[in-house]
Each structure stands twice: as structure tokens, then as C-alpha cells.
Amino acid sequence: MKTIAINQYGSAEAFTMINMPKPEPQADEVQVAIHAFSLNPMDIAGRMGALSSPFTDLWSFPLVLGWDFSGVITKVGSDITSFKTGDAVFGSAAPAHAANNGTYGEFITVNTKELAHLPSGLSFDQAAALPIAGLTAYYGMKHNLNLQPGQKILIQGGAGGVGLFAVQIAKAFDAYVATTASANHRNLLVDLGADEVIDYHETNPATVLHDYDAVFDTVGDIDTGLKVLKADGQLATIAAQPTDAQQYDQQKKAAFQFTQGSSEDLADLAKLTINGQVKLTIATLPFAVASVIKGHQAIESRHTTGKIVIHVTD
Ligand SMILES: NC(=O)c1ccc[n+]([C@@H]2O[C@H](COP(=O)([O-])OP(=O)(O)OC[C@H]3O[C@@H](n4cnc5c(N)ncnc54)[C@H](OP(=O)(O)O)[C@@H]3O)[C@@H](O)[C@H]2O)c1
């Protein structure tokens, strides 16, 4: 099968098209012909050699990166009962995968923990954009922060892959949403329902927002988030490890979010997308080395909008 792989850690220019053996499913796995995959900041960390165990446990070179995908099941393991060959699916691969089993290729094998059927109304390209970023935001709003109607939340980094999901999911939960972004992202965020958009280059959110119930930090600025929270408010960060002092700031709770994705949450997220409560902002590129290089370089700039999806096949 064709893959876009690296032969050593380093810069994005190192990607190259390599033929690799097709991964074969274990008893509890399915094999999927990939129709689309999306890029995440963790792919960039993987490429640079900045990830460690468990992600790297099975890696060797040449190495195929990538976790998010959509596609069609081509084989099922003997223990699989809820999926069959020919099913259209989308999901996220387990953190650790073998060197030929990332999503930047034509086939992948995965267990079914974070796998969902592709519902009608969602294209393969759209579905590939959902898993890591969408589930992180959904898990944050629903399970971690337990966001309630009428609560006030600050989402730091509203225009990013996770941020755009978080803003819209928080609005779907009837919260009041303030978010931070560069000025060029203001109109998009207002159109998607944000109640307040703060240009963080001009204004520190802590000077204008007070007594918030919750903060969802996608950029690693915990100190600012804590200043915005009310006395017993809760902050979840996906981008930094809180220090002891930050974790125990008065009664405020600040913790790193370990996202626990599930097929059920993925299906809920797909429903929110199909019914229009979550609109996707996607840049779609063809399955080519140049696309993956361009996508990695864009994410490294830290100013992309929404998700970058690589379209593999129709
Ligand atoms: N723990 C987890 O489960 C988990 C899961 C997914 C991602 N993550 C991590 O979460 C972070 C965000 O992921 P992502 O996919 O959303 O990244 P991304 O799409 O690359 O984020 C890019 C966005 O970040 C915004 N940004 C950068 N610095 C900012 C700042 N100081 N204030 C406000 N916005 C800022 C930019 O907005 P402007 O262009 O408007 O400035 C841009 O839109 C990454 O560090 C990623 O590794 C963790």
C-alpha cells in the first residue's frame, strides 16, 4: 500500500511516498481502507521525535504517522460483532501503533474503541476532521467541565482545530461563550455563535472577563484562565501541565484533561454536525507528499483555522 512516511525524525520536508506492507487485523481489530485523514498537532510532535511512550512503543523507520481517519472496512477480526466488511466508519487509532499502521496511508487496522459508523449526511472528508479535535472538545464540555445551560465559559484559542469545536459545542449546550483569537478570526467565531471574541494580541482576557464558571484552555495560558474564573470555577487545559500552585489556586480547580474518547461520544458529535449545531471549517488537500508537508508547516505556524484534511480516495 502507498503511505506518506518518514525515515527519520525532523522537518516536514522529510516526508516521502513509500510502499509498505498492508497491516492485518488482530481478532479484536478491523482493517479499514482509508478515504480521508486529518492532521493534528500531535502528528507534528511525532514527526519531530517529541513523543514518548506509549505513542512510540511500536515505532521504527520508515514510520507512518497519523491518528484520525475515515474509510470503509475491508476485513474484520474474529471477535468483532458490531462492524462488518463494507461498513463506512470514522475514528481515531489507538495511541500506540505499529510503524506501518498510522493513518497517512491507504490502509489501517484499529480496535473499535473509538470507531463509529459513518452516518448519512457526513462525508468521509468531514468525518475525518472530527475524532481527536472534536472528541477533545466534546469530552471537555460534557464530561470534564460538565457545562450547564447559562454558565459562562472562556475558550482560549477559539479558532484552532479543538477551539472551533469547543465554541460550537458550548453554544449547543446553551452556555455563554467568550473566546480568544487573532483579529482575522473574529467574524468566523461570531458567525459560529461566540458571544464575545477577544483579540488576545490587544487585550488580556483577565482584564475584561470575571467570575466565569469554566475555562477551556487550548493554548497553555493557565494563569490567565485562572484569573477569569470565579472562586469555585473549573479550568481544563489540553495544552500545558498545571503547576502545583496553579492546581490549588484558592478553591479553583485547574487540571490537565486526559480525554477519554468513545464511540458513543463520536456518534453524538456526528449528530451535532449533521444537525448544523457544529459547522466544520476544513481545508482539504489531495493525498500527496506536498500536501502533508504543507499541512504540517501550517500547523507549526500555530495560526491555522479549524482542521486540515487529506483526501485519499472517493
Ligand atoms: N490533551 C488532549 O486530549 C489534546 C487533544 C488535542 C489537542 N491537544 C493539544 O491542544 C492544543 C490545541 O490543539 P489544536 O488542534 O486546536 O491546535 P491548532 O489547530 O494548531 O491551534 C491553532 C490555533 O491556536 C490559536 N492560538 C495560538 N496561540 C494562541 C493564543 N496565545 N491565544 C489564543 N489562541 C491562540 C490560533 O489562533 P489565532 O490564529 O486566532 O491566533 C490558531 O487558530 C495543541 O497543543 C495540541 O497538542 C491536546
Side-chain angles (χ1 to χ4, degrees), residues 39-42 132-133 136 156-163 180-185 200-201 217-219 221 237-239 256-259 299 302-307:
L39 310 184
N40 288 289
M42 71 189 284
I132 288 181
T136 301
Q156 292 172 283
V162 179
T180 55
S182 296
N184 61 312
H185 286 136
Y200 63 91
H201 302 283
D217 168 35
T218 78
V219 300
D221 186 3
T237 178
I238 60 165
F256 184 79
Q257 171 173 307
F258 290 98
T259 305
I299 291 175
R302 297 293 293 118
H303 290 291
T304 48
T305 317
K307 294 287 297 174

Side-chain angles (χ1 to χ4, degrees), residues 5 70 101 104-106 124 138 189-190 222 239 278 283:
S70 62
N101 203 22
Y104 296 9
E106 292 178 308
F124 284 110
Y138 189 81
L189 285 159
V190 169
I222 298 172
V278 169

Side-chain angles (χ1 to χ4, degrees), residues 138-178:
Y138 189 81
Y139 183 86
M141 299 307 119
K142 184 173 182 188
H143 303 296
N144 192 359
L145 295 170
N146 188 23
L147 195 63
Q148 300 298 314
Q151 285 192 323
K152 286 183 159 185
I153 184 168
L154 167 64
I155 293 163
Q156 292 172 283
V162 179
L164 279 182
F165 281 110
V167 165
Q168 297 180 83
I169 293 166
K171 287 311 298 176
F173 286 13
D174 287 328
Y176 180 90
V177 178

Side-chain angles (χ1 to χ4, degrees), residues 250-262:
Q250 306 161 49
Q251 297 147 277
K252 298 174 186 178
K253 289 190 213 108
F256 184 79
Q257 171 173 307
F258 290 98
T259 305
Q260 316 265 327
S262 70

